[in-house]
Every structure is written in structure tokens, then in C-alpha cells.
Amino acid sequence: MKQRLYGLLFSVALSLIVLFIFFGKVIKDPGNIFFSTSGDGLKAYYTALYHVKYDKENFRSDGMNYPFRESLSFTDAQIPVINTIRFISTQFADISDHTVAIINLLMLFSIVAGAGFLCLILMETEVSWWYAALVSVAIAFLSPQVDRLGGHFSLAWVCWIPLMSWLIIRFDRSRLLLYSVMMGIVTWLAGLMHFYYLGFFGF
């Protein structure tokens, strides 16, 4: 158990260092930097901002497909994220002006989470904790999903596939109902982020 904790902490710490090296400028000013200012990237920022500030329904947007409105599932708007921002803004404190910053930071720190789950997966195969940590960070930052920061933001979340893979391994080895329930929740949340994740998980 200690070995796994060491590996997980090392992978998270190392991935944070790498993240600051490559994305430090974004982390210092996340609300004023856009990963993309055209095409699908700009559309993703627009639909998220419009939904948080003006829409009345959780899963439809008035800002596109006039006069019929558009289903948010097809807009790359990261439904769980923006609806959480909407809920906090309407029920507690208005954080809608920080939507871009929240989206940018969550996408970046999903790489760190992805590295953590990859490390847990590797340690399930009895790999040394230090080696698992090093390799997991390399895999996470070399993931093709990082390239989706150029436009398809919902697919840039590196953590979803490693998380589901780790849950499958844990369920297979323990048969605990908890892991089965968690797999269902992760499938639902990731599916709301982008339909492709349902296909990834199915494979």
C-alpha cells in the first residue's frame, strides 16, 4: 500500500512540474488565454459562456440553431462542467465570469489526474512504483488527447480513459459493487462530456 502511495504522489508531483513547464503561462492567467480563437475551439468557448450566462435549460442552448435551439450534447460545451458553474452561480456566488479560466484549468489538470490513474494501472501489474510514476507521466503528456486542446476541448480530458481502465481492473479483481457503481457514474459523466467516450469505454 505504501508503494502505491509513493508512486501516486510521485506521478502527481512530477506531472505538476511538467505541466508548469509547458503550460505555466496559461496557469498564471487562465481566464485571459484561449487555446483556440477560431473554429471548434472558439465555438466551445462561446457555447459554454452563453449557456452559463443566458440559457434557462440545462441541456439546451438558445445561442445556436435559431429558432429551434440546440442540444448541448452536440456543441462540445462540456455539460457537467458548465452546468456546475451555472448551479453555483445561481445558487451561491456568481462565478460565471471565470468560466474560461475554470475550463482551461480543468482541461490541464485532467492530464495530472490521467497520469495518476495510469500510475495506479501500472502498479496493478507489479511494476516498481518509481518506474510506474515516470512512465505514467510520459504517457499522459504524450497522449493524442493533449492535441485536442487546439479545438475539441471535451476530448482533451486525458483522465477519463485511464480512470475507466483502472475501475475495470479493480472491479475485475475485487468484484465490489462500489467499482461497478463508479463505472456507471464515470460512463454517464464522460458521455455527457462527449459521445465518443461511450465508444472508447465500449471498446
Side-chain angles (χ1 to χ4, degrees), residues 6-8 10-12 14 115 119 122-123 127-138:
Y6 294 154
L8 183 60
F10 185 36
S11 68
V12 169
L14 185 58
C119 184
L122 289 170
M123 287 189 292
V127 172
S128 299
W129 66 268
W130 60 268
Y131 183 76
L134 290 173
V135 172
S136 65
V137 173

Side-chain angles (χ1 to χ4, degrees), residues 72-132:
L72 279 177
S73 300
F74 302 109
T75 65
D76 198 35
Q78 306 182 59
I79 293 173
V81 175
I82 61 175
N83 277 332
T84 300
I85 296 171
R86 277 186 72 228
F87 177 77
I88 293 172
S89 296
T90 56
Q91 302 298 322
F92 301 102
D94 187 4
I95 60 171
S96 60
D97 288 338
H98 303 291
T99 299
V100 172
I102 293 169
I103 289 173
N104 285 344
L105 290 175
L106 287 176
M107 289 190 298
L108 289 179
F109 284 100
S110 77
I111 305 173
V112 177
F117 287 114
L118 285 166
C119 184
L120 291 173
I121 290 169
L122 289 170
M123 287 189 292
E124 288 285 346
T125 64
E126 305 302 325
V127 172
S128 299
W129 66 268
W130 60 268
Y131 183 76

